[in-house]
Amino acid sequence: LCVNEYEVGKAPVWETEVELSPDWVRAKAGWDISDDEMKTSLEGLELEVRANDSGLWRVVIPSHRGDLHRPIDLVEEVLRMYGTDQIPASSVVATAMARSDNPITVFNRRSSDYLVGQHFCEAVNYTLRSYDEQKNWSSSVSADALALKNPISEDQTQLRHSLIPGLLDALRTNQQRKTGATRFFEVGRTFQEIEGKVLELVSVGFAEASEGEVRSWKARTKDDYYAARKRIETIAGFAGIDLSRYPLKPVQVDTTAWQEEHSAVLDEPRAGVFARIGLMNLNRVKEMDVQGEVIAGMFSILPERLREQKRVKFKPFSLFPPSSKDLALVVNQRELASVVVSAVKKIATKAAKGFELEDVAVFDVYEGSGLQEGKKSIAVSMTFRSAERTLKDKEVNQAFEAIQKGIREKTDYEIRD
């Protein structure tokens, strides 16, 4: 509180009084400083300190200290005279108002950064597409469900069901202009009719054409279904989704968008997770004037299903050698290899006591003579390792016997000799 007194007809008083509370000074300083030390610091600057009955001080400011107007100015003077070197060390506590980014923003940013690192160029297309395209790439039912009541133009009448058609447009344009760009991705919203409701999905899609590469003396290795699947699994991880929990099913009959037996699909409406991976329908790609084969993928998720990705923690790797065992299983011809691997992992993890199951990988699939009709053989390699010691053959063999026993008892797979 500043008090300035003036009397009409006389020269103004050049002294100013500032009301100051010692407790308030201590609160601003952040540590305990006695009243005597505080008063000594102020009086050392030729400031008169007058105490009243309420415990407050009235500090008289002389005319030559025109820089002192507020109580906080006096706090600065106390600290300066007391000595900043005497301020006790303590941890800094700061209350921040900043919130974390929206999960959708985080997911889109991580997906974009990842695909740019995979040498993809980002494309941005309109959210509205034409009815004919929607019908050809999905179905007339989907096209009708996503139709606008009042479209602004004939080629923008439907909410888009997929990001892939727009990416194919980008591929076609760049092939025609010979830019050399053959990889494109897009992060955006798609829409899908589920149980009579039109839902908005957060989606990431990418497409890569085999034609249009810059001429070179050495041909580059082309990506395949497995490379596309790895990208989709990584993108799903950014959404906090472990895609291994939702087995992908091969496309059996799909003459609209994806090549039969060269692509996979995941539809989990209850979980709000959808995916498409693989080789695009060759006839459909040619109709859009895109040259060569196109490998593509798209992952979609309901916004409310997005979960924060678990922070990866470093786990020291073992310095001891691994031990492996191979196992061939006779299964139904339509049984997915991922399902077989998942079953073997579950059994082998429990059987490995005192050490860890590091990996289960398929290394051979056989169909033909020696097997019953409708059957196939899937051979897997199981890798075991200990972080503390070299494994003994005896304990690995015991675990292998327990795994075979578990497969016979808990699955309908037949162990092939």
Side-chain angles (χ1 to χ4, degrees):
L1 175 64
C2 299
V3 180
N4 296 312
E5 296 180 357
Y6 298 94
E7 185 176 345
V8 177
K10 291 189 177 182
V13 178
W14 290 98
E15 290 184 344
T16 302
E17 291 187 358
V18 176
E19 193 174 73
L20 188 66
S21 168
D23 291 336
W24 186 79
V25 174
R26 280 186 283 270
K28 291 297 181 182
W31 79 91
D32 189 19
I33 179 172
S34 66
D35 291 3
D36 292 339
E37 292 173 326
M38 212 180 298
K39 187 175 181 181
T40 300
S41 298
L42 294 173
E43 290 178 344
L45 296 171
E46 300 181 358
L47 305 179
E48 183 181 351
V49 180
R50 302 171 183 173
N52 55 28
D53 297 336
S54 62
L56 298 177
W57 293 351
R58 299 185 73 85
V59 182
V60 180
I61 310 298
S63 59
H64 67 274
R65 290 302 305 269
D67 58 321
L68 304 179
H69 302 285
R70 305 166 298 166
I72 194 65
D73 296 332
L74 298 178
V75 174
E76 294 178 358
E77 295 300 298
V78 169
L79 297 179
R80 183 170 65 87
M81 296 301 294
Y82 179 74
T84 55
D85 59 318
Q86 299 188 53
I87 298 175
S90 62
S91 59
V92 178
V93 179
T95 303
M97 298 299 293
R99 299 182 299 176
S100 58
D101 290 339
N102 186 286
I104 298 176
T105 301
V106 175
F107 171 70
N108 290 344
R109 182 170 59 242
R110 288 180 175 177
S111 301
S112 297
D113 291 345
Y114 167 70
L115 290 171
V116 168
Q118 295 285 309
H119 308 290
F120 281 82
C121 301
E122 184 171 9
V124 180
N125 295 297
Y126 289 113
T127 308
L128 303 177
R129 309 293 294 186
S130 69
Y131 176 83
D132 291 338
E133 177 189 276
Q134 191 84 328
K135 182 179 67 174
N136 292 334
W137 281 90
S138 180
S139 65
S140 58
V141 175
S142 174
D144 293 337
L146 301 179
L148 299 180
K149 292 183 178 180
N150 187 23
I152 58 177
S153 63
E154 292 184 358
D155 60 343
Q156 295 183 346
T157 59
Q158 327 292 126
L159 295 171
R160 64 181 176 185
H161 178 267
S162 173
L163 300 175
I164 305 301
L167 294 174
L168 292 178
D169 289 342
L171 286 173
R172 180 185 64 242
T173 300
N174 281 268
Q175 285 182 345
Q176 292 174 348
R177 297 179 181 179
K178 301 185 183 303
T179 64
T182 59
R183 291 184 173 188
F184 289 92
F185 80 92
E186 183 173 3
V187 175
R189 302 298 182 98
T190 59
F191 303 84
Q192 190 167 335
E193 186 272 328
I194 302 175
E195 297 180 353
K197 297 181 179 180
V198 176
L199 302 179
E200 185 176 1
L201 305 173
V202 180
S203 301
V204 178
F206 59 85
E208 176 184 2
S210 60
E211 297 293 334
E213 296 284 356
V214 177
R215 295 178 64 185
S216 174
W217 66 275
K218 186 176 181 180
R220 295 176 57 183
T221 303
K222 298 179 181 179
D223 284 343
D224 55 10
Y225 164 81
Y226 298 100
R229 176 168 177 168
K230 178 62 178 178
R231 293 192 182 105
I232 289 295
E233 290 175 347
T234 302
I235 293 170
F238 296 147
I241 301 297
D242 181 5
L243 216 59
S244 64
R245 296 177 53 192
Y246 308 100
L248 293 167
K249 298 179 180 179
V251 173
Q252 300 298 331
V253 179
D254 190 341
T255 58
T256 57
W258 304 90
Q259 193 71 21
E260 184 179 352
E261 297 183 356
H262 292 276
S263 53
V265 60
L266 169 64
D267 283 316
E268 292 288 343
R270 292 185 178 181
V273 179
F274 308 87
R276 300 288 189 276
I277 313 168
L279 180 66
M280 302 302 301
N281 185 287
L282 301 179
N283 293 329
R284 189 66 62 194
V285 169
K286 289 180 180 179
E287 289 177 2
M288 296 191 69
D289 293 330
V290 177
Q291 304 299 318
E293 298 178 350
V294 176
I295 294 290
M298 190 177 80
F299 174 79
S300 302
I301 186 171
L302 290 173
E304 59 270 22
R305 300 292 185 180
L306 283 170
R307 295 193 291 269
E308 184 178 356
Q309 186 182 17
K310 294 182 180 180
R311 179 172 294 181
V312 178
K313 295 182 179 180
F314 172 74
K315 181 180 179 181
F317 55 86
S318 175
L319 299 177
F320 297 94
S323 181
S324 61
K325 288 289 185 180
D326 297 340
L327 186 65
L329 302 174
V330 179
V331 302
N332 291 329
Q333 199 169 24
R334 290 190 173 275
E335 187 81 345
L336 299 178
S338 59
V339 175
V340 175
V341 169
S342 179
V344 173
K345 278 185 178 180
K346 186 176 181 180
I347 296 172
T349 300
K350 294 181 179 179
K353 297 180 180 180
F355 52 93
E356 295 182 358
L357 172 71
E358 190 173 81
D359 187 33
V360 176
V362 176
F363 69 88
D364 184 63
V365 177
Y366 172 75
E367 298 179 30
S369 60
L371 295 177
Q372 297 180 4
E373 186 177 353
K375 297 287 185 177
K376 66 180 178 181
S377 172
I378 296 180
V380 298
S381 176
M382 297 171 289
T383 304
F384 305 95
R385 196 191 299 262
S386 172
E388 302 173 349
R389 56 189 171 80
T390 300
L391 296 178
K392 298 179 181 179
D393 291 340
K394 182 179 179 180
E395 58 184 337
V396 175
N397 291 334
Q398 288 177 348
F400 187 58
E401 291 176 1
I403 292 170
Q404 295 180 78
K405 181 179 178 182
I407 290 175
R408 293 189 183 98
E409 294 177 351
K410 299 180 180 179
T411 71
D412 57 356
Y413 305 152
E414 178 185 347
I415 298 176
R416 187 181 179 193
D417 296 331

